[in-house]
Amino acid sequence: MVPAPPTLSRRRLLGGLGSLCAAAGTVAVGLTKPAALPDVLTDEATKHYPTPPEVSAHWQPTVTESHAQEAIDLLAETTEEAEQLWSQLDTNQYFSGAGGWLEDARQALRDGNTNEALFDATYGLQFAAEGLGEARAKLGNADLQARAAQAIALRDRSQKVVSDITPYLVDDPGTDLAWYLRIEQEAMMGKHLATWDGMEPVAKGVENNNAGSFKPREYGTLMANVRRAQVYVRTAERFRGLLAETRSGSATPYAEQLKTAADQFRTQLEGTPTTQEVESRYGVSDPESVGPYEVAHRDLARWCFDSGVPIPWTIDVDDELLVSTAVGLSKGVARIRAHEFAVDHLVVEQGDEGFDSGHALAEKRRARRVHEQVIGSNPPPLLTRQAARAIEDLQVAVVGFAGSYEQPMWRERLDAYLYALLGRAKLKQYPAVYRTVVGEE
């Protein structure tokens, strides 16, 4: 779950709707059959048809100015020390600092966007701290024992955060469980980054204290992980404190409800077929078959069943992370159900040799209506976190997304259609799994 660099939002990337494309989009989705207009027109219209906002536009946990500033200060200190050490090295290798993230973080904080400032500072630490660790190692100053002791302390703090929230006291499940989910994610990421094999004996001085078998670049990676873990664990602690301040005296423990929901989802996922079994069911197992029908069914099977076992996380999740477990399993259930809906509504027939982007545009319209019904303007924060990937699907349902075109062009048009279709299919499933998590069923 290492965070990816921020990408341009769909609204920013595809904004600036021209009058011609706006008119084309209106005609294409409102007054004609999907395939009535030429692809060159509907291709362009997919770029300008309205897409949903980012989930963060609906709700984000509160990041105070001091919280963001603390992360920025750590990045600044790390960058400054790394620059000083690199100036002492006799090397042609160039140290690029924080890769511009320090400046971005400071600007975001000046603009009052504390969430973005925190993200930028945390991401920048990956570069600055890696350079710092590498420089220390090359100068013979790598202290592996100190890093191990620091990592163990961070791991213990992460575990304490999880222990502190375990009753999961809730006043408003739709909002409070989203807070708990974010707290768990921050704590989990901090623990993951601060853990490596053999660090306990290293912390006790059992192994060599000057980085042992770690090469300079490897020690740099270790330094970056530990520095970022500092921010993640501190964020988890801050969020835990902010949420605790808002709890009323009548807040309800939700731990048992979360366990019940997770058990229900596990039962529903029992017997889930593999991707290969699904492909065989629809007769598309032959990789040499590359027509629209085969590609559509293979993509849907891969997108819905690869993690439907389910393994909905990129790193291990402890059993006591009750919200992460319930939400992850709920996504697995939603994907499986969405696959059936998507297959039932496919407009691709066996034997087709091409695909018209008018279908993608028409599907974007249908998906937008479902988004308005399910998410709307004021959704429960937890629902938006469950549905985040479905919303992303709608945002990338564009022919030539980010200027990239897959060949042959029918594949590019089919991809845009499938993203919109699957996004709509998943959105239709999330209200039910949301109700299961919050105990409304």
Side-chain angles (χ1 to χ4, degrees):
M1 202 181 294
V2 176
T7 58
L8 288 175
S9 73
R10 199 64 51 234
R11 287 168 288 117
R12 289 162 60 191
L13 185 63
L14 303 178
L17 173 62
S19 58
L20 175 60
C21 293
T26 301
V27 171
V29 301
L31 303 178
T32 68
K33 295 181 179 179
L37 293 175
D39 281 322
V40 66
L41 191 58
T42 49
D43 285 352
E44 192 66 18
T46 65
K47 297 179 174 68
H48 301 291
Y49 192 77
T51 54
E54 311 290 347
V55 295
S56 59
H58 295 291
W59 177 87
Q60 295 186 87
T62 302
V63 173
T64 64
E65 183 176 345
S66 63
H67 181 180
Q69 186 64 61
E70 182 179 313
I72 291 173
D73 290 345
L74 178 61
L75 176 57
E77 293 165 6
T78 301
T79 304
E80 181 180 359
E81 181 184 353
E83 289 173 343
Q84 292 173 352
L85 295 183
W86 275 90
S87 68
Q88 300 173 30
L89 293 172
D90 182 15
T91 178
N92 292 326
Q93 189 175 350
Y94 175 69
F95 173 61
S96 59
W101 292 99
L102 178 57
E103 293 76 14
D104 288 348
R106 285 170 168 166
Q107 184 60 53
L109 187 59
R110 285 194 293 268
D111 293 341
N113 193 335
T114 53
N115 276 274
E116 183 176 332
L118 175 62
F119 176 88
D120 290 348
T122 306
Y123 196 80
L125 275 170
Q126 179 174 343
F127 306 104
E130 184 175 271
L132 172 61
E134 186 175 351
R136 283 186 181 181
K138 287 182 175 181
L139 292 169
N141 297 326
D143 190 341
L144 191 61
Q145 184 176 7
R147 295 289 77 72
Q150 184 182 18
I152 290 173
L154 288 168
R155 184 191 61 184
D156 292 345
R157 284 168 56 191
S158 168
Q159 189 59 47
K160 185 177 187 305
V161 170
V162 175
S163 298
D164 288 346
I165 65 172
T166 296
Y168 294 93
L169 295 175
V170 165
D171 288 307
D172 173 9
T175 298
D176 295 347
L177 292 180
W179 269 100
Y180 284 124
L181 177 63
R182 183 62 181 273
I183 293 168
E184 288 182 346
Q185 290 171 337
E186 298 290 330
M188 177 170 57
M189 193 62 193
K191 178 181 178 181
H192 171 70
L193 288 171
T195 301
W196 77 87
D197 291 338
M199 66 179 184
E200 284 84 0
V202 172
K204 297 176 182 177
V206 173
E207 296 186 8
N208 194 331
N209 194 35
N210 66 352
S213 60
F214 277 79
K215 297 178 181 178
R217 180 62 63 87
E218 293 172 336
Y219 186 75
T221 299
L222 178 63
M223 173 72 77
N225 286 345
V226 174
R227 286 281 168 111
R228 286 189 294 145
Q230 286 181 248
V231 179
Y232 281 112
V233 173
R234 184 64 180 132
T235 297
E237 292 170 340
R238 281 180 170 269
F239 285 168
R240 174 197 59 190
L242 288 172
L243 181 59
E245 290 174 2
T246 68
R247 293 285 63 77
S248 72
S250 59
T252 303
Y254 247 67
E256 292 305 315
Q257 167 58 35
L258 293 168
K259 293 177 183 177
T260 298
D263 287 343
Q264 291 180 22
F265 294 139
R266 289 191 184 95
T267 299
Q268 294 171 42
L269 288 165
E270 288 179 357
T272 297
T274 65
T275 302
Q276 292 72 28
E277 289 170 339
V278 175
E279 291 176 347
S280 178
R281 179 188 303 169
Y282 293 100
V284 297
S285 299
D286 183 3
E288 299 300 319
S289 299
V290 291
Y293 177 86
E294 291 79 13
V295 170
H297 277 286
R298 279 200 292 267
D299 281 352
L300 289 175
R302 177 167 52 87
W303 294 347
C304 293
F305 287 89
D306 268 359
S307 51
V309 176
I311 305 295
W313 310 278
T314 56
I315 59 178
D316 291 339
V317 175
D318 295 331
D319 290 340
E320 64 263 33
L321 299 179
L322 300 186
V323 184
S324 295
T325 299
V327 169
L329 291 168
S330 78
K331 293 179 180 180
V333 170
R335 281 194 299 269
I336 303 308
R337 294 175 180 174
H339 180 267
E340 181 178 356
F341 177 93
V343 167
D344 288 346
H345 290 78
L346 267 178
V347 298
V348 185
E349 301 292 340
Q350 199 161 14
D352 285 352
E353 297 181 355
F355 191 79
D356 195 296
S357 60
H359 292 297
L361 191 59
E363 186 56 51
K364 283 170 71 77
R365 180 185 63 169
R366 290 188 287 267
R368 186 186 184 201
R369 285 201 300 263
V370 173
H371 178 271
E372 290 172 347
Q373 295 165 359
V374 173
I375 303 298
S377 60
N378 188 32
L382 181 65
L383 176 60
T384 67
R385 271 51 193 171
Q386 289 176 292
R389 182 52 193 265
I391 294 170
E392 290 175 7
D393 289 341
L394 304 188
Q395 293 173 336
V396 300
V398 171
V399 177
F401 174 65
S404 175
Y405 291 85
E406 186 177 3
Q407 298 297 328
M409 274 299 294
W410 67 257
R411 295 198 65 155
E412 180 70 22
R413 293 161 182 147
L414 179 61
D415 277 353
Y417 165 74
L418 291 176
Y419 277 122
L421 173 62
L422 189 58
R424 174 167 73 104
K426 287 189 286 191
L427 281 172
K428 292 177 74 71
Q429 309 307 319
Y430 279 116
V433 295
Y434 166 79
R435 289 192 295 270
T436 299
V437 172
V438 300
E440 293 180 358
E441 290 185 336

